[in-house]
Amino acid sequence: MTIFSMGSEGDGKNSPRRDTPLSGPLGGKKICVVGAGFVGTVAAAGFAKFGHEVICVEKDPARVAELSRGKVPFFERDLEELLKSSLAGGRLTFTSNLEKAVDGSKAVFLTVGTPSANGGRADISALKDIISVLSKCLSPGQIVVIKSTVPVGTAGSLKIILEQNGSGTRGVEIINNPEFLREGNAVFDFFNPHRIVIGGDSHDAIETVAHIYRMGMTRHVPIITTNNETAEMIKYASNVYLATKVGFVNELARLCDGVGVNAVEVARVMGMDPRIGQEFLNPGPGWGGSCLPKDLMEFLGLADSLGISLVIPRAVHDANQKQFDHVAQKVKDLLGTLEKKRIGVLGLTFKADTSDLRDSPSIPILKILMEKGAEIMAFDPAAGDDLAAVLPGINRVNTPYESADGSDCILILTEWSEFQLLDWKRMGDNMRTRNIVDTRNILAPELVKKYGFDYSSMGQI
Ligand code: UGA
């Protein structure tokens, strides 16, 4: 494994972000990005901003049309601005034609989804389909860069497909370049990475991918070059570790609730130790989203397939399921019973600043509450329209105040900052009984208690 830095000026810690792209020694590349989800769109628009000529392939023609007009069909902070700017720069186009898009591209970045399939293993069939098409149209010297999160060994197996299916594909290199973009912060993370990981067998291919990034960076960012399998594992290990950290702090909060200690303060002081770190120490309703849950399942599935028993990730998974019950229990503890109680829910997405409901903790928690007879009046500023499909039976309202109307309890599940600015007196005046379960610890306990609320949080005394 080799580590070197991206930028060249100073230590770069406080370097401003540069608006105009740097011209690297090799100049811009023609790049193809396959998949216009949140990772693909951010990468395509970001690489164009770096100065590369980017063509992004998306199979849905309606999405191609929208993106070409500068419209982002999902919620991702700052992305529309970046997209418009890259389109205006003339270096970004969208198409549905994969074969045409890869023609002449030095690197083809694959960003398609790898959802959980049977038994929790990651389903790489979308990637395989694309590789089959690519095997007919790639030629030596072109590079396939896998940004999708893929099981250890995937680069190797895709290379075999590539070579078996196509005559001219010997000499096409496969690189694993995991992404570490958080939904809701993906644009910021793209331009401000902590590290760039590039796995592969060919020094030249790795160097080309490193150059693609280096061209746009204004500060030192470690570039880690390694083999494909290590890069693949780094991604899984990172997400599983993040889930572990959140899982730990959630249990810490339960313990602190039990003994009357403020868990938020404990976590803040723990995090002052650089070996622990401040981030991912916020207790909540359980971790969710499109990545941590599926990556933990693949991690466990891989271990199982090798007959290796992993105690910690299994416990992290189980503790998260218990966290959902724990939140429902907190509501019941305040109300005595859930039967015929009306719960005003604030926030449904798996975290703030996204419209994504995939594996959101709100889903299992609200299912438990509804099974026990509660009626749900839910408000979320961005949750996708698929709500009725994932949570049949819930009532969606248009304002937070409507969620309070006649409710017995407000349950905060997502940390949207606008919830802190609500008029809590007005919320209380609309309610049948004044109770709040704040699973994100976003409210000031003294304030809501002043308005007569019984307030329950995650270890925030
Ligand atoms: C995660 C990783 O953070 C990214 O680095 C990675 O690139 C991405 O997965 C991916 O694999 O694509 P994301 O799924 O956007 O990003 O969500 P996170 O910000 O990691 O949050 C995950 C869950 O943990 C959320 O439900 C969040 O509310 C919860 N969380 C996080 C807490 O409850 N407490 C915390 O302190 C932090």
Side-chain angles (χ1 to χ4, degrees):
M1 186 181 294
T2 315
I3 304 180
F4 52 96
S5 293
M6 284 174 81
S8 54
E9 315 90 328
D11 73 359
K13 277 189 188 134
N14 299 313
S15 301
R17 232 168 71 183
R18 204 172 286 186
D19 283 334
T20 46
L22 286 175
S23 210
L26 299 172
K29 299 280 178 205
K30 186 174 173 216
I31 293 174
C32 172
V33 175
V34 182
F38 100 99
V39 174
T41 310
V42 170
F47 286 142
K49 196 77 182 153
F50 285 0
H52 303 291
E53 191 190 326
V54 183
I55 181 155
C56 182
V57 186
E58 163 59 47
K59 64 179 180 200
D60 174 2
R63 187 169 276 215
V64 168
E66 260 187 287
L67 288 163
S68 303
R69 285 198 309 273
K71 273 274 2 102
V72 177
F74 48 88
F75 186 96
E76 184 60 48
R77 194 175 358 161
D78 298 334
L79 181 53
E80 200 148 293
E81 197 189 341
L82 174 66
L83 174 68
K84 285 193 169 120
S85 156
S86 292
L87 287 169
R91 283 190 291 264
L92 175 63
T93 48
F94 292 89
T95 179
S96 292
N97 189 332
L98 177 61
E99 288 90 340
K100 224 168 133 191
V102 298
D103 186 27
S105 290
K106 182 67 191 166
V108 181
F109 286 78
L110 307 185
T111 71
V112 296
T114 53
S116 270
N118 293 344
R121 299 303 303 267
D123 174 5
I124 60 164
S125 56
L127 274 177
K128 284 184 172 167
D129 291 347
I130 291 167
I131 287 287
S132 294
V133 178
L134 293 181
S135 64
K136 306 278 187 287
C137 50
L138 287 177
S139 44
Q142 288 185 290
I143 305 166
V144 175
V145 188
I146 302 172
K147 271 195 106 46
S148 310
T149 302
V150 292
V152 176
T154 297
S157 63
L158 294 185
K159 192 156 172 89
I160 292 170
I161 300 177
L162 202 58
E163 292 181 352
Q164 278 172 350
N165 284 9
S167 49
T169 46
R170 276 175 208 282
V172 171
E173 290 300 331
I174 299 202
I175 293 287
N176 184 280
N177 168 223
E179 55 86 11
F180 301 103
L181 309 177
R182 293 164 299 167
E183 281 186 41
N185 289 284
V187 172
F188 178 86
D189 289 348
F190 184 85
F191 288 99
N192 299 277
H194 295 117
R195 75 290 207 200
I196 306 282
V197 177
I198 306 173
D201 301 331
S202 148
H203 173 79
D204 287 353
I206 288 173
E207 186 46 40
T208 300
V209 176
H211 166 72
I212 287 169
Y213 283 99
R214 228 184 264 124
M215 229 182 94
M217 295 292 158
T218 57
R219 64 182 177 88
H220 284 277
V221 176
I223 295 187
I224 297 34
T225 66
T226 182
N227 58 37
N228 271 306
E229 293 75 15
T230 308
E232 290 160 349
M233 183 59 98
I234 286 169
K235 174 60 194 273
Y236 280 101
S238 300
N239 274 0
V240 172
Y241 189 76
L242 290 173
T244 305
K245 207 171 171 190
V246 178
F248 174 82
V249 82
N250 284 342
E251 292 214 319
L252 171 73
R254 287 166 66 180
L255 183 59
C256 286
D257 265 340
V259 289
V261 168
N262 190 329
V264 175
E265 198 180 326
V266 173
R268 187 172 59 80
V269 179
M270 278 169 64
M272 288 173 182
D273 183 335
R275 291 173 303 171
I276 297 172
Q278 294 284 357
E279 292 193 43
F280 274 68
L281 281 181
N282 299 310
W287 44 267
S290 63
C291 305
L292 267 49
K294 89 171 164 60
D295 293 350
L296 185 117
M297 291 313 287
E298 167 58 33
F299 196 78
L300 284 169
L302 173 67
D304 285 348
S305 73
L306 297 168
I308 297 168
S309 155
L310 298 182
V311 175
I312 293 173
R314 174 73 57 199
V316 170
H317 170 269
D318 294 349
N320 207 42
Q321 306 305 306
K322 283 198 180 140
Q323 189 70 0
F324 307 146
D325 294 326
H326 176 63
V327 171
Q329 186 60 43
K330 269 183 176 283
V331 179
K332 185 162 183 261
D333 287 348
L334 279 181
L335 300 180
T337 173
L338 293 168
E339 193 63 45
K340 296 202 165 48
K341 296 292 183 185
R342 180 179 285 187
I343 318 287
V345 172
L346 296 182
L348 295 164
T349 52
F350 79 97
K351 63 176 182 177
D353 298 320
T354 174
S355 53
D356 204 339
L357 284 167
R358 283 176 291 175
D359 269 321
S360 175
S362 66
I363 299 168
I365 292 168
L366 297 184
K367 279 187 178 158
I368 298 169
L369 294 176
M370 285 191 285
E371 268 161 31
K372 301 217 154 105
E375 180 192 16
I376 305 297
M377 310 299 284
F379 170 77
D380 188 286
D385 297 334
D386 45 346
L387 182 61
V390 291
L391 273 168
I394 80 162
N395 305 296
R396 186 168 189 177
V397 294
N398 295 321
T399 67
Y401 297 104
E402 282 174 69
S403 77
D405 258 346
S407 286
D408 298 286
C409 180
I410 291 291
L411 171 61
I412 300 176
L413 290 176
T414 313
E415 71 281 24
W416 289 102
S417 53
E418 64 190 80
F419 298 155
Q420 287 172 307
L421 304 174
L422 291 174
D423 177 347
W424 282 96
K425 179 177 179 313
R426 181 176 160 198
M427 291 286 283
D429 288 346
N430 287 349
M431 293 174 70
R432 196 149 55 191
T433 52
R434 295 177 187 230
N435 295 293
I436 298 175
V437 175
D438 175 6
T439 69
R440 298 288 187 166
N441 292 342
I442 57 171
L443 300 183
E446 325 75 61
L447 177 78
V448 285
K449 282 178 188 164
K450 194 176 93 185
Y451 293 128
F453 283 96
D454 277 341
Y455 175 77
S456 171
S457 66
M458 308 310 271
Q460 185 187 226
I461 302 296

